[in-house]
């Protein structure tokens, strides 16, 4: 290693170049975090309380909302602390743990693949759909998605944190992401680069191809439908999922699969992209599913109405006791 100093602690320096915006960023991130939690919690509660939503499609949506909630809990609370704290230090084990859970929980690619398979099965075999997509099978698909996501995440973390980090300990990012951490390694080889690229490509490209193949079959089946109304209804059912897929894969592929020589986390554009896929995407997903799904809209209106009626009744009971 020569005269290299081995690094044991990193500094998350993402927004430190904007000291005058720290308070504003804190408020924006806090409101965004609260909105993400509220939106996803509303979807999960609506699915849980409304029996007409106890179908495979909403079962997967519940799992997606839960995954999005946990993913933001890994990143945003730490980000809020760093925005108001002078010390932005994070140890190597903490950094590795954050990266592991971010990619494990944030690996919604496999879950989105399962959702596309569910839509294809519902459209291709509507009569056998209840048999082909039972609650047990849905649970198995969700567990398989989680196991695959965390397995790939573990491989990524082991590959990165078996490297030696020397000289600089400043991560030009607001969380422990792959490229900003790898850029600090002093013994990164071409072989390690290939492994990291293959792991990310396996999850992103593999699941994306599966989703696209599913949608090709879906479009083929839908175009054979004699009724224009039936075609419109089927496409509208799939539109929410496809929109989420487009947003999720668009940002993920742009960040993790583009050539590294042309991409650096030292510029503001890179931070903006990171904010988009850690904050904006989890916030958009529940909004898209709520706005484009009549069943979800009806369930949310019903639950909100129940909450509004609950509080006056509770107040009246307390007044009567007094």
């Amino acid at each position: 290693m020569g005269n290299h100093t081995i690094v044991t602690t990193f500094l998350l320096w993402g927004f430190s170049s904007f000291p005058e915006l720290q308070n504003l960023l804190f408020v924006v991130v806090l409101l965004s975090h609260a909105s993400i939690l509220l939106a996803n919690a509303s979807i999960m509660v609506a699915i849980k309380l409304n029996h007409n939503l106890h179908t495979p499609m909403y079962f997967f949506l519940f799992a997606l909302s839960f995954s999005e909630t946990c993913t933001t809990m890994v990143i945003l609370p730490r980000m809020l602390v760093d925005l108001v704290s002078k010390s932005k230090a994070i140890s190597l084990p903490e950094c590795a743990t954050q990266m592991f859970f971010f990619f494990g929980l944030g690996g919604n690619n496999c879950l989105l693949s399962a959702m596309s398979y569910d839509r294809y099965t519902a459209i291709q075999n509507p009569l056998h759909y209840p048999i082909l997509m039972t609650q047990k099978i849905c649970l198995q698909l969700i567990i398989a998605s989680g196991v695959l996501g965390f397995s790939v995440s573990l491989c990524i973390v082991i590959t990165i944190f078996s490297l030696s980090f020397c000289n600089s300990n400043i991560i030009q990012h607001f969380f422990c992401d792959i490229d900003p951490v790898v850029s600090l390694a002093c013994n990164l080889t071409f072989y390690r680069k290939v492994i990291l690229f293959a792991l990310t490509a396996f999850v992103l490209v593999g699941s994306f191809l599966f989703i696209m193949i599913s949608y090709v079959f879906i479009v083929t089946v839908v175009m054979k439908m004699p009724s224009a109304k039936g075609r419109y209804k089927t496409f509208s059912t799939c539109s929410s999922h496809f929109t989420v897929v487009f947003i999720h894969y668009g940002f993920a592929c742009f960040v993790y699969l583009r050539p590294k020589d042309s991409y650096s986390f030292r510029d503001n554009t890179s931070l903006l992209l990171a904010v988009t896929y850690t904050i904006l995407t989890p916030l958009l997903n529940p909004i898209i599913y709520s706005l484009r799904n009549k069943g979800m809209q009806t369930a949310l209106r019903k639950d909100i109405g129940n909450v509004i009626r609950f509080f006056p009744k509770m107040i009246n009971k307390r007044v009567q006791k007094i």
Side-chain angles (χ1 to χ4, degrees), residues 235-257:
F235 277 129
S236 65
T237 303
C238 298
S239 61
S240 300
H241 179 255
F242 189 77
T243 304
V244 170
V245 166
F246 180 79
I247 294 172
H248 179 83
Y249 279 94
F251 285 112
C253 290
F254 188 77
V255 170
Y256 294 107
L257 297 182

Side-chain angles (χ1 to χ4, degrees), residues 68-201:
E68 294 282 14
T69 302
C70 294
T71 303
T72 56
M73 290 296 292
V74 172
I75 301 298
L76 298 190
R78 170 77 201 207
M79 184 178 172
L80 290 168
V81 171
D82 287 339
L83 282 170
V84 295
S85 173
K86 291 183 179 180
S87 173
K88 305 179 189 301
I90 183 171
S91 67
L92 257 69
E94 288 176 325
C95 189
T97 302
Q98 187 187 57
M99 185 181 291
F100 171 72
F101 281 105
F102 175 74
F103 288 105
L105 291 166
N108 296 326
N109 314 285
C110 304
L111 191 54
L112 290 171
S113 299
M115 294 174 77
S116 69
Y117 174 72
D118 168 67
R119 290 297 83 213
Y120 167 70
T121 306
I123 294 168
Q124 174 68 20
N125 299 295
L127 296 178
H128 298 94
Y129 178 66
I131 301 172
L132 294 172
M133 292 298 292
T134 62
Q135 190 172 5
K136 181 181 178 181
I137 292 174
C138 291
L139 185 59
Q140 289 173 344
L141 286 172
I142 291 172
I143 292 173
S145 300
V147 169
L148 182 59
F150 277 105
S151 298
V152 173
S153 179
L154 181 62
C155 293
I156 290 173
V157 170
I158 291 174
T159 303
I160 292 175
F161 287 90
S162 61
L163 298 168
S164 297
F165 302 96
C166 47
N167 294 331
S168 177
N169 69 333
I170 296 177
I171 298 177
Q172 298 291 343
H173 207 3
F174 54 85
F175 75 98
C176 293
D177 206 353
I178 295 176
D179 292 333
V181 175
V182 166
S183 66
L184 303 180
C186 49
N187 60 340
L188 180 65
T189 62
F190 176 75
Y191 175 70
R192 299 284 183 106
K193 289 181 180 179
V194 171
I195 290 176
L196 289 173
F197 182 81
L199 287 169
T200 52

